[in-house]
Amino acid sequence: MDLLALTWFVAFLSTAPPTVRIIHSGHACNVEEERHTERVYTIREGETLELTCLVTGHPRPQIRWTKTAGSVSDRFQDSSVFNDTLHIAKIQRTQGGRYYCKAENGLGSPAIKSIRVDVYYLDNPVITVHQSIGEAKEQFYYERTVFLRCVANSNPPVRYSWHRGREVLTQGSDKGVEIYEPFFTQGETKILKLKNLRPQDYANYSCIASVRNVCGIPDRSVIFGLTNKTASPSIKLLVEDPIVVNPGQTVSLVCITTGGEPPPILTWVSSNDSLPQRSVVKGGTLTLPAITSDEAGVYSCVASNNVGNPAKKSTTIVVRALKKGRFWITPDPYHNDDNIQIGREVKISCQVEATPPEELTFSWLKNGRALRSSERMVITQTDPDISPGTTNLDIIDLKFTDFGTYTCVAALKGGGIPEISIDVNISSTTVPPSLTVPRGKSPLVAREGDTVELECLVSGKPKPIILWSRADKEAPMPDGSMQMESYDGVLRIVNVSREMTGSYRCQTSQYNGFNVKPREAVVELIVQYPPTVEPVHMEVRQGLGRPVVLTCRVLRAHPSRVLRFEWLLSNRLLHAGAFDQHKDETEYTIRSLNREGWGEYTCNVINEAGAGKCTFQVTGKAYPPEFYYDTYSPLWQYRPRVYGFKLQWTQMNPGAVDRIVAYRLGIRQVGLQRWWEQEIPVGDTIGKGELMTHNLTELIKPESYEVRLTPITRFGEGDSTVRIITYSAPINPHLREFHCSFEEEPICMFTQDKNDDFDWTRHSAATRDTKYTPNTGPSADHTGSKQGFYMYIETSRPRKEGDQARLVSPFFNIAPKNPYGITNPPAYCFGFFYHMYGKHIGKLNAFLKQKGQMTLEAPVWSLSGNQGDRWKQAKVSIHPTSSFQVVLEGIRGPGIEGDIAIDDITLEEGECRDPPPSDANALSTSSHIWLLCTTLVLTLLEGQR
């Protein structure tokens, strides 16, 4: 196999699509599997939820947490969390639901796992009391039927129990008592029915709500005392309805109880969703200081004592106001003429918005003197249902002496509010409006970002309000509204944008002018803007001596006729010219990149409105390395106080720039400032995806370290990558995943059984005794390394047939599945590699030993006899119900050629997938391929070292 093929093969093995698994910590009450497809995490409200997403894959996958509740998306913390750990402190019931962890690295499909979070809670129960329909409402007399309803919000569903005094009430325990659940409530409530009330039924009743202490949630209870005075609430408002006040007044609403036992609790509510911020509630009195128009509305006093229905009384507060005074002039409607003429009729209309409308009064003045209705000067007030707040002055048979200033005065009867006066001049110069666009003002050309003024000249007397809107499409105006008002005919737009290009309509309003057909005109606005180009910024990485082509593309511009372009390097002009109108791009080519060619290139594409800029950063900087996080057993411990770590990485796009000659490795202890640095030389050209290794030693337990790796080329330093190395003990007491390869002297806290016949021995081929027994035992550990360690039983003398050696694991803890113990035991996959070669091979057994178990039961896995000179893998699913250990037992055969070895023991959460066969002659094709690939990769890596 040539070198190119070898490099590709390594790259194939060192890149991998993502896999994902969710583990939990925090304050779980219970975690259970449902059909092995969904995990349910139960937690008490107010506790801390912590879910961690464990991923594998190279390059390192990006992690994203999202949440859904049923079919409705539920946002939390900006709807997603880009972190491996999701942490929610003091979780609330609304935060329950299904949480998804998604991992993707661009290889294959994204990996997605989910876990459903069930939040448990129990609120205090509430007792409400009701009489049967049609019976007395004032008091609970004798021979009345009473219902006591108990309700408590909870998850899981609540169980209720009733007590009368100290007596426990159950269905059938008292003929006068009936206990039932209404069908429509689905168990959410429990009703105690007292039939034909008896003297002994007047007592204290307690309802106890329970969720059976799940998640440690205690029972909650409530007591209600039923007496012959128990009655539903009644109240009275000591105020008028409605209450009409002036703004700025202080308003007090007084509510008193006139009945009810137990004494009712009074609350105030408003039709405005909430009470005003400055309001004060004291007992049954609500005070609104310095009231405003915004605080007007309906205010209700509500009395509740959980007996019958709450009592409610309301009043409306009306705050006086006058606003928006307007007028319009209507020429004689019987003639098709918009002008005012002597001898014809003219009508002046005046309108205001008044609160309350029934207090509104109008008066008319002519030239400052009061005007009364007459045969020729008819004053009327329009029907409020047709045109509220409007008065009309009809001048019949207009005469020259009628010219003058007419004033409409609006006031409120209650006073305290300033009057609104509107002046209307009627004269020979009173003419209807006309609209024109000034010469040169349409089309109006502006540049993006300018302030523009669209202008319509309005003539006529009086001058009406001008309404501006879009004429070419249904689109909002710059302020977001569909129509804007102008009193001088000018529409001013600040910071005009290209989206504002189009036609704008100016139109006369009937208000403050003539009530005639609107006059209108159209103004065209053209907004010019510089070319929009791509890329705005682009980094180009390239090695020396190679060609580089830079392309700047025009996406849009106005005017679309682009005048010219210019290419610059650090403000030094390289090339300029006219832009080809048949193309939408311009190129600049560097035939052979040299050191002076590195830097920032700028392409300016210029039109009348300005320039669009493409920027290219041409550099020889190498891409960052990508740490490999899925290294098999990367951490080892060779001395009591220090540990080592196998650091592995691949190089992103190694061929994009000059050859990487070295890496600068920086390392510092987390929390300290000082970096220690060294260079790692690179001998050969790095292939894409090639996995590189460097061993870190003398790391102090249990400290964590920050590691920084920087590639170096002829250009200099490239982009760095940083990761954290964290020390972890060899065993996780809360089992999720366990691996032991016996590379350390403590052998992962395994112990030798004191009640067997002899011990297992830790061994490696590199340190094997030259007097070892031939034709038995392995020549390397299961990975093929002669330096790697494994455990084996030595069957030479003085061992005899049937002698047993047992290796016992540490205890592994499992979380109980529910507060009442385990009903569906969790599954774990127990796996190991074994080597059973020799004509005298005895037997290898694997046992599950649970806490409190004094003797070993039947083995969960067993194999005997010669299996050939090769390592094989065994996997078996186990289902412990309590803390447990695994035991490996080797039994000596009839002779000395019977060494049995084991290596790489694993325990993983979940059932085993496709366990390998345990008979001597079965080895699947995939197993052969896996072993060959492993051997080839190790050989290549050894060769690189």
Side-chain angles (χ1 to χ4, degrees):
M1 184 180 292
D2 60 351
L3 180 59
L4 181 60
L6 285 173
T7 302
W8 174 87
F9 192 66
V10 173
F12 175 77
L13 288 178
S14 61
T15 59
T19 67
V20 64
R21 189 160 61 89
I22 297 175
I23 65 171
H24 64 85
S25 55
H27 300 85
C29 307
N30 183 23
V31 180
E32 63 185 37
E33 306 286 341
E34 287 188 356
R35 302 179 301 279
H36 305 287
T37 60
E38 181 183 39
R39 305 175 69 209
V40 181
Y41 181 109
T42 305
I43 188 171
R44 181 173 173 175
E45 187 173 49
E47 300 288 2
T48 298
L49 172 70
E50 194 166 280
L51 302 174
T52 301
C53 198
L54 296 183
V55 299
T56 64
H58 187 72
R60 182 70 167 171
Q62 294 290 323
I63 298 173
R64 181 186 182 195
W65 281 99
T66 56
K67 173 183 178 261
T68 59
S71 60
V72 181
S73 177
D74 188 4
R75 291 173 60 88
F76 71 101
Q77 298 180 7
D78 296 329
S79 81
S80 60
V81 174
F82 296 91
N83 200 349
D84 56 354
T85 299
L86 173 66
H87 183 94
I88 302 177
K90 297 182 180 179
I91 191 169
Q92 300 301 305
R93 62 193 66 178
T94 56
Q95 294 173 303
R98 184 171 298 163
Y99 287 80
Y100 292 87
C101 174
K102 179 181 180 181
E104 52 187 337
N105 64 355
L107 298 176
S109 300
I112 302 175
K113 290 288 185 182
S114 69
I115 186 169
R116 184 159 61 84
V117 176
D118 204 3
V119 181
Y120 279 6
Y121 58 91
L122 174 61
D123 292 342
N124 289 322
V126 175
I127 293 178
T128 56
V129 182
H130 299 270
Q131 280 184 285
S132 56
I133 297 175
E135 297 186 358
K137 295 182 179 179
E138 296 301 322
Q139 290 185 336
F140 292 96
Y141 299 105
Y142 291 121
E143 298 183 358
R144 296 289 185 264
T145 298
V146 175
F147 301 88
L148 279 72
R149 182 192 301 267
C150 185
V151 179
N153 296 319
S154 74
N155 183 34
V158 70
R159 290 181 182 175
Y160 300 96
S161 58
W162 282 98
H163 293 153
R164 181 168 54 200
R166 296 184 178 181
E167 175 190 3
V168 179
L169 297 176
T170 58
Q171 183 64 27
S173 63
D174 186 330
K175 292 183 179 180
V177 174
E178 184 179 340
I179 300 175
Y180 65 95
E181 295 178 358
F183 175 73
F184 63 88
T185 65
Q186 299 180 348
E188 296 174 358
T189 183
K190 189 76 120 184
I191 291 181
L192 176 67
K193 180 180 180 182
L194 305 176
K195 300 179 291 184
N196 296 324
L197 211 59
R198 304 161 300 177
Q200 63 265 34
D201 291 330
Y202 293 116
N204 287 331
Y205 291 86
S206 58
C207 171
I208 300 174
S210 174
V211 289
R212 286 80 64 199
N213 202 39
V214 65
C215 278
I217 298 175
D219 295 348
R220 299 183 184 274
S221 63
V222 62
I223 298 176
F224 186 90
L226 184 66
T227 70
N228 60 354
K229 295 182 180 180
T230 299
S232 57
S234 59
I235 57 174
K236 183 178 181 181
L237 277 182
L238 303 182
V239 292
E240 297 177 354
D241 183 34
I243 304 173
V244 181
V245 296
N246 292 328
Q249 282 186 234
T250 295
V251 180
S252 293
L253 307 180
V254 180
C255 178
I256 61 172
T257 59
T258 57
E261 180 63 33
I265 297 174
L266 298 178
T267 57
W268 281 95
V269 295
S270 167
S271 59
N272 298 326
D273 296 332
S274 60
L275 294 176
Q277 190 173 359
R278 296 177 294 111
S279 63
V280 178
V281 178
K282 187 175 182 180
T285 301
L286 169 64
T287 303
L288 305 172
I291 196 166
T292 65
S293 296
D294 294 336
E295 294 169 347
V298 177
Y299 288 80
S300 302
C301 175
V302 181
S304 176
N305 65 353
N306 292 340
V307 179
N309 295 319
K312 183 177 181 180
K313 296 285 186 180
S314 302
T315 186
T316 301
I317 297 180
V318 178
V319 180
R320 291 188 178 93
L322 281 176
K323 54 186 177 180
K324 287 190 177 179
R326 288 176 168 175
F327 74 90
W328 58 94
I329 303 170
T330 306
D332 190 344
Y334 303 106
H335 295 83
N336 189 18
D337 192 345
D338 292 343
N339 292 291
I340 296 175
Q341 296 186 23
I342 298 292
R344 294 185 181 177
E345 180 182 340
V346 62
K347 180 166 68 174
I348 306 171
S349 300
C350 175
Q351 184 185 60
V352 295
E353 291 184 9
T355 306
E358 61 270 15
E359 288 191 6
L360 176 62
T361 63
F362 285 107
S363 59
W364 285 90
L365 306 176
K366 178 185 177 183
N367 297 328
R369 298 178 63 182
L371 188 66
R372 295 184 179 183
S373 184
S374 64
E375 290 184 0
R376 224 170 47 79
M377 296 281 186
V378 181
I379 299 173
T380 60
Q381 195 152 334
T382 307
D383 187 342
D385 294 333
I386 299 175
S387 181
T390 304
T391 182
N392 301 309
L393 171 62
D394 278 288
I395 304 175
I396 311 297
D397 186 17
L398 182 69
K399 299 181 181 301
F400 182 79
T401 55
D402 294 329
F403 289 164
T405 300
Y406 291 84
T407 304
C408 164
V409 181
L412 294 178
K413 294 176 182 177
I417 301 298
E419 298 176 340
I420 290 181
S421 296
I422 302 170
D423 292 335
V424 184
N425 186 266
I426 301 294
S427 69
S428 58
T429 60
T430 303
V431 292
S434 66
L435 272 182
T436 58
V437 178
R439 184 184 300 272
K441 291 293 185 177
S442 180
L444 184 65
V445 179
R447 293 189 178 181
E448 195 168 39
D450 288 350
T451 295
V452 298
E453 290 186 347
L454 308 186
E455 187 175 353
C456 279
L457 291 179
V458 55
S459 62
K461 187 178 181 181
K463 286 186 178 181
I465 297 172
I466 302 301
L467 305 177
W468 285 92
S469 60
R470 292 296 293 259
D472 53 347
K473 55 185 176 180
E474 280 288 325
M477 296 293 286
D479 68 347
S481 66
M482 296 305 293
Q483 199 173 64
M484 294 176 66
E485 290 186 355
S486 168
Y487 287 88
D488 59 0
V490 175
L491 174 64
R492 193 168 189 266
I493 304 176
V494 179
N495 192 22
V496 68
S497 65
R498 63 192 67 178
E499 293 80 13
M500 297 178 187
T501 293
S503 302
Y504 290 79
R505 178 188 296 110
C506 59
Q507 178 178 297
T508 59
S509 165
Q510 72 167 14
Y511 299 116
N512 297 3
F514 274 70
N515 183 23
V516 295
K517 182 180 179 181
R519 275 58 166 165
E520 63 179 49
V522 174
V523 179
E524 294 288 339
L525 174 64
I526 300 173
V527 180
Q528 294 183 345
Y529 52 90
T532 301
V533 296
E534 68 173 11
V536 176
H537 180 80
M538 181 179 182
E539 186 179 60
V540 179
R541 305 199 185 207
Q542 188 60 278
L544 293 173
R546 303 179 190 176
V548 179
V549 178
L550 307 177
T551 302
C552 184
R553 180 173 294 105
V554 178
L555 300 179
R556 65 190 72 87
H558 193 85
S560 58
R561 180 171 56 86
V562 175
L563 298 179
R564 56 193 176 88
F565 68 85
E566 57 185 22
W567 286 91
L568 303 97
L569 172 59
S570 301
N571 297 320
R572 178 170 58 89
L573 184 64
L574 300 174
H575 180 51
F579 203 89
D580 188 343
Q581 299 301 314
H582 302 290
K583 294 183 179 180
D584 62 356
E585 62 185 32
T586 176
E587 289 185 351
Y588 182 77
T589 302
I590 307 169
R591 288 191 174 86
S592 179
L593 185 65
N594 54 31
R595 291 182 179 273
E596 290 73 26
W598 283 324
E600 184 177 88
Y601 290 76
T602 302
C603 175
N604 292 322
V605 183
I606 306 163
N607 70 354
E608 295 174 9
K613 182 184 292 186
C614 292
T615 302
F616 303 87
Q617 187 69 41
V618 179
T619 176
K621 182 187 292 187
Y623 284 97
E626 296 176 308
F627 283 116
Y628 187 65
Y629 286 82
D630 301 331
T631 304
Y632 192 67
S633 189
L635 188 145
W636 74 91
Q637 305 177 58
Y638 54 92
R639 293 211 305 274
R641 296 184 180 180
V642 298
Y643 67 99
F645 190 88
K646 183 189 291 184
L647 188 70
Q648 293 188 302
W649 69 93
T650 60
Q651 177 60 43
M652 180 191 295
N653 300 332
V657 295
D658 293 324
R659 187 178 72 83
I660 294 172
V661 295
Y663 286 94
R664 177 165 287 113
L665 174 70
I667 185 169
R668 69 176 175 184
Q669 188 175 316
V670 172
L672 301 183
Q673 296 296 320
R674 185 174 181 182
W675 286 89
W676 296 92
E677 292 190 336
Q678 71 175 95
E679 282 199 4
I680 305 172
V682 177
D684 299 324
T685 301
I686 298 172
K688 184 174 177 59
E690 182 178 344
L691 194 62
M692 288 162 281
T693 302
H694 181 79
N695 290 328
L696 303 175
T697 58
E698 304 298 324
L699 305 178
I700 301 172
K701 299 180 185 177
E703 301 297 338
S704 298
Y705 289 86
E706 188 175 358
V707 177
R708 182 177 64 205
L709 200 60
T710 310
I712 301 173
T713 64
R714 286 191 292 174
F715 174 84
E717 291 190 356
D719 291 335
S720 300
T721 301
V722 177
R723 72 166 291 182
I724 301 295
I725 292 173
T726 303
Y727 173 79
S728 58
I731 177 69
N732 180 359
H734 302 289
L735 176 63
R736 293 290 165 231
E737 185 176 286
F738 170 77
H739 172 259
C740 181
S741 59
F742 303 112
E743 299 300 324
E744 309 163 35
E745 186 59 45
I747 60 172
C748 311
M749 297 172 64
F750 273 82
T751 57
Q752 308 282 355
D753 192 342
K754 296 180 181 179
N755 298 317
D756 57 7
D757 302 306
F758 68 110
D759 288 344
W760 288 80
T761 303
R762 178 174 174 267
H763 204 61
S764 77
T767 59
R768 183 166 54 186
D769 191 338
T770 55
K771 298 179 181 180
Y772 75 96
T773 305
N775 302 320
T776 189
S779 58
D781 73 357
H782 114 261
T783 66
S785 171
K786 294 187 180 296
Q787 284 74 35
F789 285 85
Y790 54 88
M791 302 294 289
Y792 86 108
I793 58 170
E794 174 58 62
T795 56
S796 302
R797 293 182 181 85
R799 303 276 68 84
K800 59 183 182 294
E801 185 174 4
D803 280 358
Q804 301 169 347
R806 286 188 288 272
L807 192 64
V808 184
S809 78
F811 270 104
F812 298 105
N813 297 329
I814 63 172
K817 291 301 173 184
N818 58 54
Y820 303 106
I822 291 179
T823 58
N824 184 21
Y828 294 97
C829 181
F830 173 40
F832 57 92
F833 286 85
Y834 62 88
H835 190 282
M836 300 173 66
Y837 169 55
K839 64 182 179 181
H840 300 140
I841 290 293
K843 180 182 287 189
L844 179 61
N845 295 322
F847 297 92
L848 172 66
K849 183 180 180 182
Q850 304 196 66
K851 190 172 183 179
Q853 183 179 326
M854 301 305 295
T855 59
L856 295 176
E857 298 179 353
V860 295
W861 182 94
S862 182
L863 189 63
S864 60
N866 185 4
Q867 303 298 317
D869 188 10
R870 59 191 173 199
W871 287 94
K872 298 182 180 180
Q873 189 180 23
K875 282 187 178 181
V876 61
S877 295
I878 57 176
H879 303 84
T881 58
S882 64
S883 299
F884 67 96
Q885 297 168 290
V886 290
V887 180
L888 286 162
E889 178 186 67
I891 302 177
R892 188 197 190 261
I896 62 173
E897 294 182 20
D899 293 353
I900 298 176
I902 57 174
D903 198 4
D904 286 314
I905 296 175
T906 58
L907 268 169
E908 297 179 352
E909 191 178 49
E911 298 278 355
C912 292
R913 297 182 180 179
D914 302 324
S918 59
D919 62 277
N921 299 318
L923 183 63
S924 68
T925 304
S926 61
S927 298
H928 276 298
I929 293 171
W930 189 88
L931 289 169
L932 286 171
C933 290
T934 303
T935 305
L936 179 56
V937 172
L938 290 169
T939 303
L940 289 171
L941 293 177
E942 288 295 330
Q944 287 182 353
R945 294 194 186 99

